[in-house]
Amino acid sequence: MRILHTSFECYPVAKVGGLADVVGSLPKYQNELNNEASVVMPYYNNKYVNKSQLTDVYKGSIQLAAVSYEFQVKQLKSKDFNFNLFVISIVGLLDRENVYGYEDETNQYIAFQLSLLDWILHNKEKPEIIHCHDHHTSLIPFFMKYCNAYVTLKEIPTVLTIHNAQYQGHFSFDKLNLLPSFNHNDIGVLDWYGSINPMATAIKCASKVTTVSPSYMEELKEKANGLEGLLRSEKDKCIGILNGIDTNVWNTETDPLLAKNYTQSTIVSGKKANKKVLCDTYGLNPELPLFGFIGRLVGEKSADLLPSVFKEVLTNQEINILVLGSGHQEIEIQLEALKNEFEGKYNVYIGYDEKLSHLIYAGADFLIMPSRVEPCGLNQMYSLRYGTIPIVRRTGGLKDTVIDIGDNGFGICHDQASVWDISYSINRAVGLYTNTKLFKKTQKQIMKIDNSWNNSAQEYINLYKSI
Ligand code: ADP
């Protein structure tokens, strides 16, 4: 089957969060199942793209309101992936360094989607499925179904995957002139509570809608920033499919970013060596249990609660904590401030660092993930594979992938996003750490859990076949 994934992120070309990991790995596994999956994303003026080989594939033009833009499709070749990857560049619009954060982002999203459709229109070999990821590419099903220019693409089935329903991409109707022409009787398809809402539009227009875990789909039907009623009414085409992880990239035996590689049988010495490097670098004590946190410092991840939690547990327990992340400035400042108070037991790296993240997954004893909202969550799956016990709040994909040790499971779970609950879980973790036999047995046990794409990649193929 010819599958075309459209996304603003794809690892390793451009990554902000889990979306990149999924789009960079799902096509790999789909191709291993004898499909022809490709990815189309914007061109970025970043390190990875600049050192890559780009081949011209197509040139065309699109119209955004009164402005016409020339665009180019180029193929980016790399040994890092086994699927075709295309980037679309537009001078002045799709040639930026960062993925998000620009004032004219709506224009960027629309321009990308129109260029992509123009290319498909002129390409002899059409995709058999167009798979759109998140709101940045969610107007594609509408354009294909309702806009005169793309009417010949109407029959190609489309899938929307919601990686995060917090961000829906809505913009005001005063930007309607950026969209290509369609019959104005259909304007209601774009409308959700008075503005143009790309995610809501795709829920209405796509052939199927998926979320990245079954529990997240159920939660969204109850609470989805205003989309809950729509998801309930479209429930027959909605399904949750759990993300997998790329077990070739996330492999303790071969991961080049680790200080020492290890297997299930060498886990003790392997984790010890990685922990030592972390502790030496960040001034921590390798004799104490090490708790890691990796992620965006935002309310969704309960990052606002972390300064109080850390103060509480570092005062009362002999533990180390190491944080890697960036986000709200106020949270960053509070987390930085704790460094002085708990020197030798606590440290934080504000920023994005792929290598450090791998080292933490390998060297930490526990990974803290108390998210308020977690559509799937990859960190807990990486930490399981690296023998690091996850401490999670039971929500979304965390609920689907981590079972509490008290329920014959292997992780530590709580229900409320509160300082008390998170601190209590950390205290339980310290108890587990001191039970050396159970702790070591659990570390080995979690490394064996299969969270690879093998099952989920097939589930997506079955879904495509059904449409
Ligand atoms: P989300 O997409 O909501 O941010 P996920 O758990 O789905 O969360 O994916 C997060 C991904 O981003 C993981 O691969 C994680 O290791 C990575 N990540 C998050 N923050 C950082 C950071 N500061 N440095 C390095 N990697 C990070």
Side-chain angles (χ1 to χ4, degrees):
M1 197 181 298
R2 277 191 307 280
I3 306 149
L4 189 63
H5 291 275
T6 71
S7 168
F8 260 59
E9 298 181 40
C10 178
Y11 181 82
V13 185
K15 169 168 166 176
V16 176
L19 170 63
D21 291 359
V22 172
V23 177
S25 53
L26 173 60
K28 259 189 210 177
Y29 285 79
Q30 290 181 326
N31 284 349
E32 281 166 19
L33 296 169
N34 286 330
N35 296 286
E36 201 186 310
S38 313
V39 172
V40 191
M41 68 188 299
Y43 168 90
Y44 294 106
N45 187 8
N46 68 14
K47 247 195 217 157
Y48 190 91
V49 176
N50 289 334
K51 72 170 172 54
S52 302
Q53 187 198 333
L54 296 173
T55 321
D56 289 343
V57 172
Y58 179 75
K59 273 186 189 166
S61 66
I62 52 147
Q63 190 79 21
L64 279 196
V67 187
S68 132
Y69 290 94
E70 306 285 314
F71 73 88
Q72 286 196 29
V73 182
K74 296 167 195 264
Q75 184 164 8
L76 189 153
K77 296 216 165 117
S78 166
K79 283 192 218 90
D80 294 337
F81 35 84
N82 74 342
F83 50 85
N84 290 329
L85 188 138
F86 302 95
V87 293
I88 297 183
S89 71
I90 298 179
V91 175
L93 209 53
L94 300 179
D95 58 356
R96 313 258 170 95
E97 187 182 348
N98 297 325
V99 179
Y100 309 119
Y102 298 103
E103 261 180 19
D104 58 352
E105 59 182 12
T106 301
N107 295 40
Q108 291 185 295
Y109 302 147
I110 296 171
F112 173 76
Q113 298 175 86
L114 295 182
S115 306
L116 168 66
L117 289 177
D118 185 74
W119 175 43
I120 297 175
L121 214 52
H122 291 93
N123 214 340
K124 236 191 196 160
E125 202 164 64
K126 310 277 187 246
E128 289 163 293
I129 290 283
I130 299 183
H131 191 149
C132 307
H133 294 270
D134 267 350
H135 74 83
H136 327 103
T137 62
S138 344
L139 285 173
I140 289 174
F142 173 81
F143 293 152
M144 290 167 64
K145 239 177 165 165
Y146 293 96
C147 293
N148 311 325
Y150 311 109
V151 70
T152 54
L153 305 177
K154 207 176 180 162
E155 301 303 324
I156 302 176
T158 52
V159 174
L160 165 73
T161 291
I162 302 175
H163 295 256
N164 194 336
Q166 300 282 109
Y167 308 100
Q168 301 171 5
H170 49 74
F171 56 94
S172 156
F173 268 98
D174 64 18
K175 290 197 169 135
L176 186 65
N177 63 345
L178 295 175
L179 306 189
S181 77
F182 60 94
N183 183 335
H184 274 231
N185 290 335
D186 297 324
I187 199 155
V189 183
L190 291 169
D191 185 10
W192 196 250
Y193 290 107
S195 60
I196 298 177
N197 184 320
M199 190 168 273
T201 301
I203 296 171
K204 298 176 201 174
C205 299
S207 323
K208 290 281 178 188
V209 177
T210 74
T211 55
V212 288
S213 71
S215 287
Y216 187 53
M217 179 59 92
E218 291 317 304
E219 288 168 13
L220 285 185
K221 286 181 197 158
E222 300 303 318
K223 196 166 170 241
N225 272 353
L227 297 182
E228 47 282 343
L230 181 59
L231 283 162
R232 280 200 298 271
S233 69
E234 297 283 1
K235 69 177 185 320
D236 291 344
K237 66 177 181 194
C238 294
I239 178 176
I241 299 179
L242 192 69
N243 280 339
I245 59 172
D246 188 335
T247 47
N248 296 321
V249 173
W250 296 93
N251 184 342
T252 53
E253 272 184 69
T254 54
D255 187 337
L257 302 179
L258 301 192
K260 185 174 178 186
N261 292 107
Y262 56 97
T263 61
Q264 280 163 38
S265 52
T266 58
I267 182 173
V268 176
S269 60
K271 284 189 74 71
K272 195 173 172 187
N274 286 292
K275 182 173 176 179
K276 177 144 191 342
V277 171
L278 282 175
C279 290
D280 288 350
T281 315
Y282 290 94
L284 305 171
N285 180 353
E287 299 307 318
L288 301 180
L290 175 59
F291 291 76
F293 174 91
I294 301 170
R296 294 179 292 120
L297 300 175
V298 297
E300 270 184 291
K301 305 283 179 194
S302 293
D304 52 312
L305 304 177
L306 294 180
S308 307
V309 169
F310 294 162
K311 214 171 171 151
E312 160 83 20
V313 292
L314 285 165
T315 306
N316 296 312
Q317 293 280 8
E318 285 305 300
I319 59 171
N320 298 302
I321 296 176
L322 181 58
V323 177
L324 164 63
S326 62
H328 287 316
Q329 206 184 5
E330 199 173 311
I331 304 176
E332 291 180 357
I333 292 169
Q334 287 179 35
L335 288 171
E336 283 276 13
L338 290 178
K339 275 199 217 171
N340 290 336
E341 205 172 331
F342 298 104
E343 206 185 331
K345 290 170 82 177
Y346 168 86
N347 214 329
V348 55
Y349 178 93
I350 299 292
Y352 186 92
D353 189 324
E354 191 73 24
K355 181 169 182 193
L356 178 56
S357 75
H358 285 238
L359 264 178
I360 295 177
Y361 290 123
D365 297 297
F366 299 95
L367 189 91
I368 308 167
M369 242 183 131
S371 311
R372 285 193 178 89
V373 180
E374 197 56 78
C376 176
L378 295 170
N379 301 16
Q380 82 281 12
M381 296 203 253
Y382 299 146
S383 88
L384 289 168
R385 186 150 165 86
Y386 279 46
T388 300
I389 297 169
I391 299 174
V392 306
R393 176 167 172 257
R394 284 189 193 92
T395 184
L398 297 174
K399 193 168 153 187
D400 294 338
T401 51
V402 181
I403 303 169
D404 192 89
I405 195 150
D407 299 324
N408 286 328
F410 44 80
I412 293 181
C413 305
H414 57 265
D415 289 311
Q416 304 301 326
S418 72
V419 173
W420 193 90
D421 278 62
I422 305 166
S423 307
Y424 183 71
S425 285
I426 293 176
N427 292 339
R428 282 185 68 205
V430 176
L432 174 60
Y433 184 81
T434 49
N435 183 344
T436 314
K437 202 169 157 202
L438 181 60
F439 176 69
K440 288 195 170 152
K441 186 177 147 229
T442 310
Q443 283 184 312
K444 274 200 178 157
Q445 177 194 349
I446 60 180
M447 278 188 82
K448 291 188 201 141
I449 296 172
D450 180 6
N451 277 316
S452 75
W453 273 110
N454 288 333
N455 296 328
S456 302
Q458 184 61 51
E459 257 191 86
Y460 274 112
I461 301 297
N462 297 344
L463 181 82
Y464 301 155
K465 284 187 178 157
S466 76
I467 50 177

